Amino acid sequence: MSLKMLETLSRIQVLFFKLPEPVAEALQESLQGCNGCFHTVHELNELKQLLETTEYSLVLLGAESAASCDNDLRDLQAIINPEKCVLLVCPNGDAAVTVAEAAKFDVVQDVINLHDHQLLLERKCGLYLELLQRRLQAQEIQPQQLTRHDPVTGLVNVSLMRHFLLKAMARALRNDRRLAVLYIDLDDFHCINESFGLNGGNSLLKSVGQRIKNCIRIGDLVSRYQNDAFMVVLDEIRHDKDVEKVAQQIMGQLNTPHDLSGVPIISHASIGISFYPQGSIGIEGLIDQAIQAMRWVKLHGKNNLHVAGSEEQAGKGLKNKSFIH
């Protein structure tokens, strides 16, 4: 049965270590399109060099006897990284190598007898190559995710948030709808870092981000905007009062104690709200209005919310400003 060539196989090699030539040739033929990715190796040093020059490898070890297999596996144990390499033990002829014996070595993935299971070996090679391909793809995706998401909270970063906001603003104008921006700045967050260190502060930021996310609808977005500040975009809102209700819900969630190493912590926040369209402001003006509204709260007691342009403080703040209960 022919197996489909993997697109990234040029970065994945198949190494036949002490495998009989006819078996190696049959496998290479069954994996169509893989010319140049196969190597037949008889010396350990040569195998080691090949492992060091390719990201991922599938190694098939030919075993003429249980004793020789045991010796080879001891050598391979020292040079194979299980995260980067899949090792199959292939007993040949009367070599009595059991799965239990091979399992003593962490690097062994499977044991397949060459004489009895040639077709199974071909299928297993295909499956393990697909496994290595997925690992390679995951390795490539991770940096992309890191560039789009905040590493501490897992929320989208500022760049992605601004892109989302620009598209939401265009939709609002096109559909004659409104949207709101909430700028949420934690009060006295420096006290958390001073008391619990950077790891404690990061744990709180992650918890805060998740609680905010739980308060908004699918289709809205929250990001960690900077340091201890978060920004929320509420898209296509029907009534301005609905936005204040969401902000109050967020405040209620943040005022519920977080658990930091067994210590209950309350994360008070000052929230500024701005709406779009409102006048002729663009994205910078919209965000700045929310920030200025947040600063108004900071100057008037913290732990509350304020709508940009309004003269009165919206909602009723909680008087207790302590963060440890």
Side-chain angles (χ1 to χ4, degrees):
M1 177 180 178
S2 295
L3 298 169
K4 186 178 180 180
M5 168 59 180
L6 303 174
E7 294 179 358
T8 56
L9 207 53
S10 60
R11 298 166 66 183
I12 302 173
Q13 63 183 346
V14 181
L15 304 176
F16 302 128
F17 186 46
K18 300 183 179 180
L19 200 70
E21 293 289 343
V23 176
E25 291 174 0
L27 281 173
Q28 184 168 350
E29 183 178 352
S30 70
L31 299 171
Q32 294 180 352
C34 297
N35 291 331
C37 298
F38 290 84
H39 300 278
T40 298
V41 187
H42 296 283
E43 299 296 331
L44 184 66
N45 286 337
E46 184 182 0
L47 178 68
K48 183 178 180 180
Q49 291 176 356
L50 288 169
L51 289 173
E52 292 173 348
T53 58
T54 307
E55 291 181 77
Y56 291 91
S57 301
L58 172 63
V59 178
L60 286 80
L61 170 63
E64 293 294 336
S65 68
S68 65
C69 179
D70 189 77
N71 290 332
D72 287 333
L73 287 176
R74 291 182 189 280
D75 292 334
L76 294 176
Q77 180 89 356
I79 64 173
I80 283 182
N81 177 1
E83 294 297 321
K84 299 286 186 178
C85 179
V86 170
L87 173 61
L88 305 182
V89 177
C90 306
N92 185 29
D94 298 327
V97 180
T98 66
V99 175
E101 290 172 336
K104 295 185 299 183
F105 301 91
D106 297 336
V107 293
V108 176
Q109 187 76 36
D110 210 339
V111 178
I112 306 171
N113 188 287
L114 293 181
H115 280 261
D116 298 334
H117 304 290
Q118 178 71 34
L119 183 59
L120 177 62
L121 178 59
E122 293 178 6
R123 291 175 177 172
K124 285 288 184 75
C125 284
L127 290 174
Y128 287 124
L129 284 172
E130 290 178 4
L131 170 66
L132 292 173
Q133 183 194 34
R134 288 196 295 271
R135 290 181 184 176
L136 182 59
Q137 290 173 338
Q139 174 183 300
E140 294 172 340
I141 290 172
Q142 188 176 15
Q144 297 174 12
Q145 292 292 339
L146 289 176
T147 61
R148 301 179 64 183
H149 291 76
D150 173 57
V152 173
T153 63
L155 301 174
V156 299
N157 64 13
V158 176
S159 178
L160 199 59
M161 167 59 88
R162 291 173 67 89
H163 179 72
F164 175 86
L165 180 54
L166 281 170
K167 294 179 68 175
M169 291 169 69
R171 281 196 305 272
L173 288 177
R174 183 172 60 250
N175 300 329
D176 194 24
R177 293 292 184 90
R178 283 165 65 78
L179 64 82
V181 169
L182 279 62
Y183 195 90
I184 305 166
D185 191 272
L186 299 183
D187 296 331
D188 304 315
F189 181 74
H190 63 91
C191 297
I192 299 295
N193 282 333
E194 291 171 1
S195 299
F196 295 91
L198 181 61
N199 289 337
N202 286 345
S203 295
L204 181 61
L205 289 172
K206 186 175 182 179
S207 177
V208 167
Q210 187 58 53
R211 291 191 184 188
I212 295 174
K213 189 175 181 179
N214 291 340
C215 293
I216 63 178
R217 305 164 300 178
I218 296 175
D220 298 331
L221 196 65
V222 55
S223 74
R224 182 187 177 197
Y225 203 73
Q226 60 180 10
N227 300 328
D228 56 350
F230 297 80
M231 193 169 82
V232 173
V233 174
L234 301 179
D235 196 13
E236 296 193 4
I237 59 175
R238 293 183 179 274
H239 306 288
D240 292 0
K241 289 293 183 181
D242 293 338
V243 175
E244 294 185 34
K245 289 179 181 178
V246 172
Q248 290 167 354
Q249 183 181 359
I250 291 172
M251 290 182 62
Q253 284 293 312
L254 299 188
N255 283 312
T256 301
H258 307 258
D259 187 337
L260 282 189
S261 302
V263 181
I265 304 297
I266 288 181
S267 53
H268 295 312
S270 300
I271 302 178
I273 303 172
S274 61
F275 291 95
Y276 182 86
Q278 185 168 311
S280 58
I281 62 172
I283 184 172
E284 301 300 339
L286 182 63
I287 295 173
D288 185 65
Q289 282 190 354
I291 292 175
Q292 294 305 320
M294 176 275 297
R295 289 175 177 166
W296 190 97
V297 178
K298 294 284 189 184
L299 292 173
H300 292 79
K302 305 179 182 179
N303 190 33
N304 214 320
L305 61 92
H306 183 70
V307 178
S310 65
E311 295 296 326
E312 296 181 358
Q313 190 173 357
K316 295 182 179 180
L318 301 179
K319 295 181 180 180
N320 190 347
K321 296 186 178 66
S322 63
F323 64 90
I324 299 181
H325 282 203

